[in-house]
Structure formats: structure tokens, C-alpha cells
Amino acid sequence: MATPLSALTNLISINVAALEATYADKGVTFPSLDDPFVPTSLDFDPSLAPTKALIVAAAAQILATVRSPIEMLQEYSPGMYFTATLGFVVDTNIPDLLSKGGPEPKSKGLPNAHLTARILRFLATRHIFREVKPDVFANNRISSLLSKNKSISEIIAERASPRYRTYLPQVKSTSNKAPIRADEALTSSVHFSEFVQNPTKATSAFNIGLKTEAKLWEWYEEPGNEWRARRFTATMKGGADRFPGEMFVQGIGLKNLKDGDFVVDVGGSVGSCTLHLYKAFPKINYVVQDLEKQIVAAASFWQENAPEAVLSGKVILRAHDFFTPQPVKGAAVYFLRMVIHDWSDHDAKNILKHLRDAANESSKLVIIDTLAFHVCEDTATEIAALKAPAPYPLLANLGIGRSGLQTLLDIQMMNLFNGKERTEEEFRTLGLSAGWKLETIVHGPLSTFTFSMV
């Protein structure tokens, strides 16, 4: 048997060759890290995801194997500086300045240019930005995603405004969470260990760090946090927009429904997911539910994207708190997209119990969320087991190749909400506690869990 290091090297070689061959078949080369990100269909091709995951998993494991453990800990332990520096470059519009004005930050009149150069060198050393000559930087494939698509004149005018901090950072990739992680999440994380050691002290580390008893959503509504609320809404919408609509249409199983059946989007924000469903199956009835402020925003969203849906009554926008009894009885489908992971098991059970009380025998519960995998093999996994186990000597969950984002989100949910990403067994247990039986799991960028009544 090959040594672990040789096996990892072979995995990278084989899968890089397969990846490059796919691009070559399309008449293109794999994108350079030095060039700004220009998305193509190959970037989001689901058939390439397993290949990319194996490359990333093997590369990360080689790094962890070959690098001194002292160096690894030295790199990981001050991770807050990664967050802080990313937050700085977004706040100061550096990616926009570089993309609009060329690779010379000093010529753009940035405050404390000598400090900025050191920050950019820290990030460029980690492959975010490029240092093209001493103290001269340019965007690359990764940093270009931090652009807000603003002109130089807009940036100058924004900085001159006394309302500078109230502007909504419209980052090009609106699913990019760097600004949030460099603000409320970073402030909360200082108290992370304190909370975990004594979780009865507060609801979450966020509540300790921000000195509030309010939930994050309630805190966003407080005076002075309006710009944070707008930033969060844009970030969440961007996160939804990057997933293909067909994933939701197939996952929720609309083709099995009859015209006139009701589908309820519980905690659906403005209803961006329901818009995909309505466009695919316009004869089904949809109800988008969220708190009053989101429903007000939803009215504008639907007026802009599908005004006939609301006018005809096929899409109903309804203010509703999912911790209270569900007003829509006997719906064909109740679905929650990226909602349950925000809540502890106790709160999540209450949400699902209200849906169970409103359901009838044919109702389905569909949860679209992240699926957590253990790092080791999991004998309790029945439905979600992958078709092929991770090749030797990779971690069972493919490390950061497949589970990097999921494990990061899990810690973020713990930090901000005391929520969690759940394994198959945890989803099954949660469902049963509220009267729902887990039937199927469909893998994808997000996983789709379908439950029936017990």
C-alpha cells in the first residue's frame, strides 16, 4: 500500500488531470488565480464538484501532514486577523479601487497607505490579492469577489457623507459574509469560549458580546443597526441566488402536487425561493410567511419580479411568527429553507410542532439545509450515505473539500444563535420529537430533507 503522502499526491494528480480534461473538452483552460473571477457554467457544474472536493481535501491533508504542527497552530490560532483584514478591505472599498483604478493603492489616497500595504501583503501571502511589485497590489480571482461594483466617484462621495456607515455594502458576491463576520460575528467570538463553558449564562456568545438579550434579528431592528439589517438581508438574498432554482423545484417535489395545492414557505424572507417555484408551477398556490418587516419588503420584491402572482392570489404574502400556531391548515407542503439551523433543538422542535399541528395526513415537511457529516465513518447514517466512501487516506467527510463550509457554519450558528448544523441522525431525532418521520434526503449544494407525519 502506498504511503499516505504518496496516496494524497496521486489523488491530486489523477483528479487535476480529470478536471483539466473537462475544461479542455470545452475548449478552455482552467482559470488562473491571478485573473479576476469571471463566472462560467463550469464553475458551478455539479458533475465537477466531487473532483474538486477530492483535490481540495487531498491538498489540505498534504499541508497538514507536511507542515510542522507548530506552524499549523501558528497559522490557525490568530484567525481573527484574517476576518479583521477582510473586513477592512471591504469597508474601505479596496477591491473596487484596484479594479477601477489599477494596481496602485497609494495613488488612490487611501488613509494610512503604509498600513494598508501591510494588510494587503498579509492577504496576498494567503492568495487573496496579488503584490505585483513592492507595495503595489492588484485583484485576483478571490479578491475580485469582494468588489461592490462602485465607481471611484461613488466611493469618494460615500466617504464624504456623514451617513457613511449607513450605506449598504453591495458586495459583488452578495453571499460573501466577510463584512458580517468582521463585525457582529467577530465581536461575539471573543466570548465564544465563555459561552460554551457556561451556556446557561446567555442565549449565545452574541448576546454576551453585544450586551443584549435580543435575538440577532431583533437587534438588527434597534436604532443604529438599520444598515446592518440591510447588509444582512442582501447577504442572505445573495446566498439564495447562488443556488440553482431547479434544486428547490425538484427538492420540494412540486411535480407530484395538484393544481390548487398549497405550498407554505415558512420563514421565507421576501420569497425569493418561492419565486423559483411559482415560475416552474404557476398553478399551485403559495404562501410566503415571515415577520411583518420582511413581508413589507416582500411586496416590493414581488411587484418587481412577478406582480401578477400576488394580484391573482396565487402567491399570498402573510406576516407570521413561526413560534405561534400555523394559520395555513392542511397544506400539501410546508418548507423551511436555511431556517432550522438558526435554532437550538428546543426552539426547532417548537417550530416543527406548530407545522405538525396544522398538517393533515398527506402533508409533507421539507427542510432545505446543510447536512453535517462526522469526520470518521458513521454507522448511523442510513439515508445520506455517499455512494462511494472517501478514498484512502482522506477523512471520511473529505475535510474542507466537502465539509469545510458546513463545519464553519456550525460554529457560526453556535456563536450567533446557539443554533447548529445537523447530521442525519440529528435531523431524524428532531423530526420525531415534533411528530415527523424522515423519509428521504437528496444531496446537493444544500440537502433536502423530506418528512411525513408519524
Side-chain angles (χ1 to χ4, degrees), residues 93 150-164 167:
N93 303 294
K150 291 183 178 180
S151 67
I152 299 296
S153 59
E154 287 176 319
I155 292 171
I156 293 173
E158 176 182 310
R159 286 180 176 170
S161 169
R163 297 174 61 249
Y164 175 43
Y167 279 78

Side-chain angles (χ1 to χ4, degrees), residues 293-432:
K293 200 155 192 176
Q294 287 295 324
I295 294 302
V296 171
S300 298
F301 173 83
W302 284 89
Q303 180 62 35
E304 178 181 347
N305 291 281
E308 77 288 350
V310 176
L311 288 173
S312 67
K314 300 306 290 184
V315 173
I316 299 170
L317 308 178
R318 177 176 291 178
H320 173 63
D321 179 349
F322 48 49
F323 285 111
T324 63
Q326 171 59 236
V328 181
K329 309 298 183 182
V333 175
Y334 300 94
F335 81 91
L336 304 101
R337 176 182 58 86
M338 299 297 284
V339 170
I340 291 299
H341 74 162
D342 290 338
W343 302 97
S344 67
D345 287 338
H346 172 77
D347 288 336
K349 174 184 175 180
N350 288 337
I351 294 169
L352 301 187
K353 184 67 167 60
H354 283 304
L355 300 180
R356 172 64 174 77
D357 291 343
N360 61 28
E361 292 184 356
S362 62
S363 297
K364 298 291 185 182
L365 167 68
V366 176
I367 297 176
I368 301 172
D369 223 319
T370 303
L371 175 63
F373 288 91
H374 291 286
V375 181
C376 60
E377 292 186 9
D378 180 12
T379 56
T381 298
E382 301 172 5
I383 304 174
L386 298 178
K387 295 180 180 178
Y392 168 84
L394 296 181
L395 301 174
N397 69 350
L398 296 187
I400 66 169
R402 187 183 67 194
S403 297
L405 178 60
Q406 171 266 307
T407 50
L408 184 154
L409 286 175
D410 187 39
I411 298 301
Q412 177 149 302
M413 294 304 103
M414 189 192 308
N415 183 41
L416 294 178
F417 312 111
N418 194 19
K420 64 192 295 186
E421 307 299 335
R422 293 173 170 85
T423 63
E424 176 186 326
E425 182 60 26
E426 287 173 324
F427 271 110
R428 181 182 293 108
T429 301
L430 174 63
L432 288 173

Side-chain angles (χ1 to χ4, degrees), residues 59-74:
Q61 195 162 329
I62 282 182
L63 181 63
T65 302
V66 173
R67 201 174 186 188
S68 160
I70 297 173
E71 292 178 354
M72 290 296 292
L73 291 176
Q74 286 174 336

